[in-house]
Amino acid sequence: EVQLVESGGGLVQPGGSLRLSCVASGFTFSQYEVNWVRQAPGKGLEWLSYISTGGTTIHYADSVKGRFTISRDSAKNSLLYLQMNSLRAEDTAVYYCARDRPYMDVWGKGTTVTVSS
Amino acid sequence: DIQMTQSPSSVSASVGDRVTITCRASQDIGSWLAWYQQKPGKAPKLLIDAGSSLQSGVPSRFSGSGSGTDFTLTISSLQPEDFATYYCQQANSFPLTFGGGTKLEIK
C-alpha cells in the first residue's frame, strides 16, 4: 500500500524547536518530489515547503522561510524531515507531508504541533 | 504570489442536487489546477488534477473544467458521502497556493 506516515509532533513552547519526520512506503520515495502542508485549527490548507527528488531544489512559503528547513535522507531513501525552529503560536496546526506529482496525490494522516506556554 | 479565490465559501444542498464550485486564480495558470476533498479529521484527497483529469477511483459525478484563471468543480448529483470541504490548488508556480475552501453542507 502506498502511504506516508508523519511523526514528531507535540507540544512545544514558543521559541522552541521540533523536527517532524515523514516515512514513505509502497513506492520508490527517491523518485518523487515532496511537500509539507499544514492546517491550523478550523482553517484552510497552507503549503509550506517543497523538495525535489535529489534535494537540490527547495522552496518555502514566506511564513516559514528562515525558520523551517526541509530535507530528505539520502541514505534512508524513504525519509523526509521538517526542522522547525523559532516556533510561534501561529504555527499550531496539523502538519501533512504529501507526494508531489506535481499534484499532491498521496498524503499522510498528519501530525499535530501545538505551540503554547 | 498567485492568489486563489474560491466561491462560495459554503453551500447548503440536498442529496441529488447539482453543485458547482468556482476557483479563480489571480493570474493565468494554464491548466495547473487541482481539486481536493477533505472530510473532518482526515487528510485531503486529490479528486482532479490538470484542471479536468479525474483521479482513478473518483466517481464520475465529479468533473472539473476551466483553464487560465477560471475553473469549476461540478458534482452532478450529490451523494451523502460528498458532504465535505473542497479546495482548489494551483501548481503553476511556487509558492503553491490553495483556495480558501468551500464547505458543502447538507440542507
Side-chain angles (χ1 to χ4, degrees):
Chain A
E1 180 189 4
V2 171
Q3 67 176 355
L4 297 168
V5 178
E6 303 91 340
S7 61
L11 175 63
V12 60
Q13 292 187 337
S17 298
L18 215 53
R19 189 177 82 159
L20 306 183
S21 300
C22 171
V23 60
S25 60
F27 66 100
T28 307
F29 182 69
S30 61
Q31 296 180 355
Y32 289 85
E33 299 146 356
V34 203
N35 296 286
W36 285 100
V37 176
R38 71 183 177 187
Q39 187 168 36
K43 302 297 185 182
L45 300 169
E46 179 188 15
W47 171 80
L48 298 179
S49 186
Y50 157 96
I51 188 166
S52 62
T53 53
T56 53
T57 301
I58 286 173
H59 296 282
Y60 295 101
D62 285 346
S63 59
V64 303
K65 197 174 295 182
R67 300 189 300 124
F68 290 12
T69 302
I70 191 172
S71 63
R72 60 197 304 165
D73 192 319
S74 58
K76 300 176 183 177
N77 288 327
S78 61
L79 274 172
L80 172 75
Y81 301 105
L82 186 68
Q83 177 66 43
M84 306 187 296
N85 298 330
S86 303
L87 284 162
R88 308 165 180 166
E90 54 265 36
D91 295 319
T92 294
V94 176
Y95 286 72
Y96 298 100
C97 55
R99 190 173 78 172
D100 190 287
R101 199 186 39 80
Y103 302 96
M104 301 183 214
D105 68 332
V106 178
W107 294 67
K109 293 183 177 181
T111 187
T112 300
V113 172
T114 303
V115 184
S116 175
S117 55
Chain B
D1 298 1
I2 299 174
Q3 310 305 316
M4 304 301 293
T5 304
Q6 272 182 251
S7 62
S9 57
S10 66
V11 58
S12 294
S14 301
V15 172
D17 284 353
R18 178 185 181 92
V19 169
T20 297
I21 298 168
T22 65
C23 181
R24 175 163 289 177
S26 61
Q27 63 189 74
D28 190 338
I29 60 170
S31 294
W32 291 99
L33 185 103
W35 289 99
Y36 300 88
Q37 176 193 67
Q38 187 180 33
K39 296 182 178 179
K42 301 294 187 182
K45 173 187 175 182
L46 178 64
L47 298 177
I48 289 170
D49 67 21
S52 61
S53 180
L54 201 65
Q55 294 300 288
S56 174
V58 175
S60 58
R61 62 181 179 272
F62 290 90
S63 64
S65 65
S67 65
T69 60
D70 293 313
F71 300 84
T72 60
L73 171 70
T74 299
I75 310 171
S76 60
S77 178
L78 278 171
Q79 298 302 301
E81 60 268 29
D82 300 337
F83 292 93
T85 300
Y86 293 85
Y87 295 92
C88 61
Q89 176 241 323
Q90 65 83 15
N92 178 76
S93 61
F94 291 98
L96 305 180
T97 45
F98 289 89
T102 296
K103 187 172 184 179
L104 179 51
E105 298 175 302
I106 300 173
K107 185 182 286 183

